[in-house]
Structures are given as C-alpha cells and as structure tokens.
Amino acid sequence: QVQLVQSGPEVKKPGASVKVSCKASGYTFMSYYIHWVRQAPGQGLEWMGIINPSGGRPDYTQKFQGRVTITRDTSTSTVYMELSSLRSEDTAVYYCARSLGKYSSSSFDYWGQGTLVTVSS
Amino acid sequence: SYVLTQPPSVSVAPGQTASITCERKSIGSESVHWYQQKPGLAPILVVYDDSDRPSGIPERMSGSRYGSRAILTISRVEAGDEADYYCQVWDSSSDQMVFGGGTKLSVL
C-alpha cells in the first residue's frame, strides 16, 4: 500500500535549521511529484514547494524562497525539506503529499502523517 | 496573487445538505480539488478535478464548478462529516499550488 512516512517531531531554537524527511513506499517513486505543505497551530494549509523525483529543479512559493530547500534521494525513495533561519512563526505541522501531475492531475491523493516542528528559545 | 475565498464556517443539521463554496479571484481553467481534515489528522482528498471522487469517498460528497465558483456539496450530513474543508488549485501562471482559507463544517 502507498505510504509516505515522515520523520519525528523536532524542537529547534530561533535561527537554526530543520530537515524533515518523507519516505515513500508502495508505488513507483519517480512517477509522482512530492509537495510540502505546512499548517501553523489553528491555521489553514500553506503550500511550500514541489519536487519531481525524476529530476529537475524544485519550485518554491515566493514566501519561502531562499529559506527552503527540497531535495530527493532516489536510492531510498526519500524526499527532504530543509527550512533555515527558523523563527517562532515557523512552528507548524509540516506535511509531505504526492500528486500524479503538476498542472493537471495535481490533487494530493496521499499525505504523510505530519511532522511537528516547534521553534522556541 | 491567486486567491481562493471560502466561508470560515458552515453549520447544518444532521440529514440536511451542506454547501461549501470556493470563489476564485480570476476565472481560470484549472481544476479544483477538495480536502477534509479532522483535528490532529492529515487532510484527505474527497473531490478531485472539480467533481470526481476518489475510491472510498461516499457518494454523498460531490463537487461542481460554475465559472469562478466551485462548490463542495455534502448530502445527508452526518456527525462524522464535522471537519475543516479546503479547496485547492494549481495556479499555472505562477507555478504555485494555492489553498483556500478553509471552512469549518459544524453539524448541529
């Protein structure tokens, strides 16, 4: 069965970086895009960026440009999201999700379980 | 920027029909997708490409689109439908995914 399994919760100090992993299984890793979405406490969903496991440059929403880096390791079917220069407003649950396409077939049919990142001094 | 506007909340009695709207700032051809999220859980896809349902989603949940407005309709609402619902589109002009602000469905 399709699974996206994320790494565990993190507590970071302001200014630090965090790297969250998303390990895919149960399907052909190269065939689906992986997205990162975050949700601050009590808030809505916020899209951060996308990567094509087959290759090519990741795309990031402008808000996170320069602070977020999404990478993938095809040997382990894992995608990583690293967010730097953390501030308290980055405290959120971070989700990975997959889509078959980008412009079409862009719905997220499977999601990871979420990773809570807490930024606190 | 691409904006999707949803009502913050919708309330409905059990057995009635709930309609959740998603208004787009500009008319586009991109398909709308809908997600249900219950507290403490990841969202799940309930409608994709405006009106298609993934397997396992009850027929009571349906989607439609009229111009710049998309609608998620939940018929014969049950207590278990109480959740937050989000609409989503891929904005091809900016190469970004956009979510609506979410609608909290309360079952009275």
Side-chain angles (χ1 to χ4, degrees):
Chain A
Q1 71 284 21
V2 174
Q3 284 191 303
L4 297 174
V5 179
Q6 299 183 221
S7 48
E10 302 265 11
V11 179
K12 296 292 182 180
K13 294 192 180 304
S17 297
V18 68
K19 193 170 186 176
V20 181
S21 66
C22 172
K23 183 172 176 59
S25 63
Y27 71 96
T28 303
F29 179 63
M30 304 287 225
S31 297
Y32 287 79
Y33 292 85
I34 294 290
H35 304 252
W36 286 92
V37 176
R38 79 175 188 180
Q39 187 171 37
Q43 302 301 306
L45 302 172
E46 182 176 32
W47 184 79
M48 299 179 69
I50 180 177
I51 191 167
N52 182 349
S54 294
R57 183 177 54 87
D59 288 325
Y60 308 118
T61 191
Q62 192 168 13
K63 175 177 178 177
F64 297 103
Q65 287 279 1
R67 280 212 303 145
V68 68
T69 305
I70 299 175
T71 56
R72 88 266 192 254
D73 182 344
T74 56
S75 69
T76 60
S77 300
T78 303
V79 174
Y80 299 91
M81 186 283 300
E82 184 170 19
L83 187 62
S84 61
S85 303
L86 290 169
R87 34 217 192 220
S88 58
E89 311 89 87
D90 294 318
T91 293
V93 176
Y94 290 75
Y95 294 102
C96 62
R98 75 167 199 178
S99 69
L100 182 61
K102 189 177 180 181
Y103 305 108
S104 61
S105 302
S106 60
S107 60
F108 298 172
D109 62 348
Y110 282 90
W111 294 65
Q113 81 276 20
T115 296
L116 175 61
V117 174
T118 303
V119 183
S120 174
S121 55
Chain B
S1 63
Y2 207 96
V3 176
L4 298 176
T5 302
Q6 298 181 236
S9 62
V10 168
S11 298
V12 64
Q16 299 303 302
T17 297
S19 294
I20 299 173
T21 58
C22 176
E23 299 270 5
R24 301 199 279 187
K25 187 177 181 181
S26 59
I27 295 174
S29 61
E30 297 92 350
S31 297
V32 179
H33 317 302
W34 291 91
Y35 300 87
Q36 175 194 71
Q37 186 181 33
K38 296 185 178 180
L41 298 178
I44 63 170
L45 180 67
V46 294
V47 167
Y48 66 96
D49 292 350
D50 298 332
S51 58
D52 291 332
R53 253 187 325 273
S55 60
I57 300 301
E59 291 183 11
R60 300 185 298 106
M61 294 198 176
S62 62
S64 56
R65 188 160 73 114
Y66 306 96
S68 61
R69 171 183 284 197
I71 302 173
L72 175 68
T73 302
I74 306 173
S75 305
R76 302 183 299 283
V77 167
E78 303 172 355
D81 297 328
E82 194 162 271
D84 293 325
Y85 292 84
Y86 295 90
C87 61
Q88 175 204 47
V89 299
W90 179 268
D91 176 22
S92 54
S93 64
S94 63
D95 255 9
Q96 294 191 55
M97 187 66 79
V98 179
F99 286 97
T103 298
K104 182 175 181 61
L105 176 65
S106 297
V107 181
L108 304 172

